[in-house]
């Protein structure tokens, strides 16, 4: 990310790593950035929604899943 802050895949991968390590806030930040960088990618919004769901942000998860479905 130091070389290319717009690398959505790096944010996605770091989100998964943070999630596996139990660092939910960090994971959410990376997944949110990945979705911002790929706003037309339903998978990015689905990943963010799932992370929000596991963080008990049900309203945020629902909004992101609705966006993913609309893009699908």
């Amino acid at each position: 990310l130091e070389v290319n802050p717009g690398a959505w895949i790096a944010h996605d991968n770091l989100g998964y790593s943070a999630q596996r390590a139990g660092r939910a806030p960090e994971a959410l930040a990376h997944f949110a950035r990945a979705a911002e960088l790929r706003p037309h990618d339903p998978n990015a919004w689905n990943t963010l929604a799932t992370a929000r769901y596991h963080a008990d942000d049900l309203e945020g998860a629902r909004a992101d899943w609705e966006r993913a479905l609309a893009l699908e």
Side-chain angles (χ1 to χ4, degrees):
L1 290 176
E2 288 179 19
V3 174
N4 181 3
W8 71 270
I9 192 71
H11 282 287
D12 196 58
N13 288 334
L14 287 169
Y16 282 113
S17 293
Q19 190 173 48
R20 283 191 304 273
R23 299 187 313 265
E26 181 183 342
L28 281 169
H30 283 295
F31 290 140
R33 185 66 182 131
E36 289 172 7
L37 291 167
R38 294 188 48 96
H40 300 295
D41 181 356
N43 291 323
W45 293 102
N46 183 57
T47 301
L48 177 56
T50 302
R52 287 190 200 276
Y53 174 81
H54 290 293
D56 291 324
D57 177 5
L58 302 183
E59 288 184 34
R62 179 185 172 129
D64 293 337
W65 273 320
E66 287 176 354
R67 186 165 185 175
L69 286 171
L71 291 168
E72 193 65 43

